[in-house]
Amino acid sequence: LLGDNVPPFVIAGTRANVPSEVDAVGNDDELGARMATEHLLMLGHRSIGHLAVEGGAGGTRRESFEATMRGAGANAFVSSYRGPASESAGYSSALEMLREHPSITAIFAANGFAGTQVQTLADKLGVGNGTIYRYFPTKEELFLAAGLPLRIPPPFGLSAAM
């Protein structure tokens, strides 16, 4: 594909179409989404929302989420947003989903939306941030309960990454 005398070429991350002549390193999006969904189900959540995004990884994660929820006989809700992942899109989609489906008790995000501030979320929901902190004493617990991965370095100045 690249011709002779070209150094090795590796694509990192999920890609829909990787030529067979090119090495690729990626994660298993189907397994990851299934494990995240199963974790929320194991915690007792039976009505779970999914913040979906477009693209190969996003589609794979959405399909795995829906299949896992169907297999568990649980209520799956998928956001209507199908654009690229962004903090503002995740925030807007989460609010829309929670307004439309108040039975949702957990949210699984296709991508992390770590920039969302708890106070901003509380304001939009019409509750005090104390209400959110009553159920989720730390931002870390809120993100973990929502199925959002914490990255290294941890967001929001957290002392430890999961």
Side-chain angles (χ1 to χ4, degrees):
L1 176 69
L2 297 176
D4 295 330
N5 301 319
V6 176
F9 188 80
V10 178
I11 297 174
T14 302
R15 300 290 184 271
N17 299 308
V18 176
S20 61
E21 300 85 3
V22 175
D23 291 327
V25 178
N27 58 304
D28 187 334
D29 293 300
E30 181 180 351
L31 176 61
R34 186 176 76 235
M35 290 174 66
T37 306
E38 287 172 346
H39 174 72
L40 294 172
L41 290 164
M42 183 186 69
L43 292 175
H45 297 283
R46 303 301 295 166
S47 292
I48 302 172
H50 175 60
L51 298 179
V53 296
E54 75 178 17
T60 300
R61 292 171 186 162
R62 182 184 68 251
E63 291 167 6
S64 182
F65 164 77
E66 290 173 323
T68 304
M69 293 295 285
R70 269 193 311 276
N75 300 315
F77 302 95
V78 178
S79 66
S80 59
Y81 178 75
R82 290 296 180 273
S86 73
E87 292 169 1
S88 62
Y91 174 77
S92 299
S93 295
L95 288 178
E96 178 183 327
M97 195 177 342
L98 290 170
R99 284 187 188 119
E100 291 178 8
H101 308 287
S103 64
I104 290 175
T105 60
I107 295 177
F108 165 55
N111 291 66
F113 301 103
T116 302
Q117 296 180 355
V118 173
Q119 183 61 56
T120 305
L121 181 61
D123 290 344
K124 291 290 185 179
L125 291 172
V127 300
N129 68 355
T131 300
I132 293 175
Y133 281 116
R134 182 179 318 137
Y135 296 98
F136 306 100
T138 67
K139 289 180 186 179
E140 180 179 76
E141 289 179 35
L142 172 62
F143 272 71
L144 291 174
L148 296 174
L150 298 180
R151 293 182 168 81
I152 299 171
F156 309 114
L158 297 174
S159 60
M162 299 301 280

